[in-house]
Amino acid sequence: ERGIPYETLLQGRDFGYRGPTPLFSLVCLVILTTGAVLLLWWAGKGTQPWSPVFRAGFLVVFVLVSGASIFFSRARGNTYVSTARVQVAEWTNPAFPQDESGVVESETVLGKVIASLDLNRKWGKRFARGVELNSDATLGLLKRFLRVELIPISHAGVIEVTTFDNDAEGAASLANSIANAYRENRNQARPIAQIMD
């Protein structure tokens, strides 16, 4: 909507490695299990420590349980990344600009984000089977979906707020909301931070 250029990259197609498909995993599982059973059969050929019924039963149960776990496991959705940049004219502690990430991840800033986006209710539906989360649980989740990177330039610099979500719009609203909450928190005394993009 704002005309900001972006490019969508898919893991396994544009970068990185593609995860194994359930069918490929099952084929590997069958091959490895068959090899293990043949090894058991060969090792016990002279002494017969395992009966043929036990070996066959072990193979069937192992293949069924492992195959079912692969096919019934939930596939992980796509993860979208969004970054918002805030230009800062002066760090909270100029001697230690790295402390600014603590300001971004503070309970004050993230609490405003949780309230403005109603994350307790939204994430309760997603992660807690419809039960509204308390603020501490939501805060812990939010910190897991957040990365803060500082680019210091003398007493000034840039803060990059990167967020992750399984929805592109959700990732963008998280990043923008955190950047705005940080800016408002830092500008209460005097304006020293502004949103770059």
Side-chain angles (χ1 to χ4, degrees):
E1 290 180 357
R2 300 182 183 220
I4 300 173
Y6 69 93
E7 183 181 1
T8 301
L9 302 176
L10 295 180
Q11 181 172 340
R13 187 191 73 186
D14 303 309
F15 69 95
Y17 298 95
R18 185 186 305 276
T21 63
L23 182 60
F24 178 76
S25 299
L26 184 61
V27 169
C28 291
L29 183 68
V30 168
I31 291 171
L32 290 173
T33 305
T34 304
V37 169
L38 287 175
L39 184 63
L40 287 174
W41 175 80
W42 177 77
K45 198 170 180 183
T47 58
Q48 293 295 327
W50 300 287
S51 68
V53 175
F54 171 78
R55 289 191 298 244
F58 173 81
L59 176 63
V60 169
V61 169
F62 190 78
V63 168
L64 287 177
V65 169
S66 302
S69 68
I70 290 173
F71 280 114
F72 291 113
S73 63
R74 293 179 60 185
R76 296 179 68 183
N78 293 329
T79 300
Y80 295 92
V81 182
S82 184
T83 300
R85 292 177 184 86
V86 183
Q87 187 173 13
V88 181
E90 183 182 333
W91 302 114
T92 303
N93 186 350
F96 298 98
Q98 63 270 19
D99 292 349
E100 205 71 25
S101 60
V103 177
V104 177
E105 296 179 353
S106 68
E107 210 169 310
T108 306
V109 171
L110 297 185
K112 290 180 181 180
V113 174
I114 291 169
S116 66
L117 297 179
D118 195 16
L119 293 181
N120 288 336
R121 185 183 57 79
K122 286 182 182 175
W123 284 2
K125 287 182 179 178
R126 188 192 305 178
F127 300 112
R129 298 180 180 174
V131 178
E132 186 169 325
L133 296 173
N134 61 37
S135 295
D136 290 337
T138 307
L139 189 65
L141 280 172
L142 185 53
K143 286 184 178 181
R144 287 175 49 198
F145 300 146
L146 166 67
R147 188 179 73 230
V148 179
E149 188 173 342
L150 306 177
I151 305 170
I153 306 165
S154 185
H155 292 294
V158 174
I159 296 177
E160 286 191 348
V161 177
T162 304
T163 55
F164 310 87
D165 202 346
N166 61 355
D167 174 55
E169 189 175 326
S173 65
L174 267 181
N176 291 331
S177 183
I178 292 170
N180 280 317
Y182 165 77
R183 181 181 55 84
E184 290 170 9
N185 184 61
R186 291 286 276 117
N187 289 349
Q188 284 177 353
R190 58 193 174 96
I192 56 170
Q194 62 180 355
I195 303 294
M196 292 178 66
D197 57 10

